[in-house]
Amino acid sequence: MRDRNRGRGVPAARSPQPSQITEAVRELLASPSLSAQILQHAAEHLTSIRPTEPLTLAGWGRALARADAQILTGYPPAIAQSASFRAMAALDSVMWTASRTRGEWALCLTAAASTL
């Protein structure tokens, strides 16, 4: 096909080559969100230490504090708070009604992380 105004050929449409930015965006979209990473890290902590014992309030606090420190260090406060709020909002109210072991909580946290 020729360009009527310029009298020369129109360049054929080419498929764009993936650039570094495209690859970075693709990798970013494939990785779990910060909220999901918090829940996954807390679940790993709960399963690594006495998974058959009941989860105490102190154990819950330590698991979340370690996850926050590991995942959110270096992010601006607004991003860290948003990720923490989203992680806690992903927990279903039914999870809190029954007493569970650390391992059972880890399974619940992993399931909740998969929804984020």
Side-chain angles (χ1 to χ4, degrees), residues 10-18:
V10 177
R14 293 179 283 174
S15 62
Q17 295 295 325

Side-chain angles (χ1 to χ4, degrees), residues 52-65:
T52 58
E53 294 191 14
L55 178 63
T56 63
L57 186 57
W60 175 247
R62 277 191 298 273
L64 286 180

Side-chain angles (χ1 to χ4, degrees), residues 14 29 90 101-102:
R14 293 179 283 174
L29 291 175
T101 64
R102 295 168 67 92

Side-chain angles (χ1 to χ4, degrees), residues 3-115:
D3 184 349
R4 276 191 333 203
N5 298 328
R6 293 187 198 98
R8 40 188 167 144
V10 177
R14 293 179 283 174
S15 62
Q17 295 295 325
S19 67
Q20 290 179 338
I21 294 173
T22 305
E23 290 300 319
V25 168
R26 193 173 288 137
E27 182 179 322
L28 181 65
L29 291 175
S31 66
S33 68
L34 289 175
S35 304
Q37 290 179 39
I38 291 169
L39 295 177
Q40 289 170 343
H41 195 275
E44 289 170 12
H45 175 73
L46 292 176
T47 56
S48 67
I49 301 172
R50 301 184 312 271
T52 58
E53 294 191 14
L55 178 63
T56 63
L57 186 57
W60 175 247
R62 277 191 298 273
L64 286 180
R66 291 177 81 116
D68 278 353
Q70 183 73 28
I71 303 300
L72 299 177
T73 298
Y75 284 98
I79 292 174
Q81 282 182 335
S82 176
S84 293
F85 289 149
R86 285 187 62 222
M88 292 301 102
L91 302 179
D92 190 8
S93 61
V94 176
M95 293 180 193
W96 303 101
T97 59
S99 176
R100 299 177 188 268
T101 64
R102 295 168 67 92
E104 290 171 331
W105 266 103
L107 292 174
C108 290
L109 292 179
T110 303
S114 68
T115 65

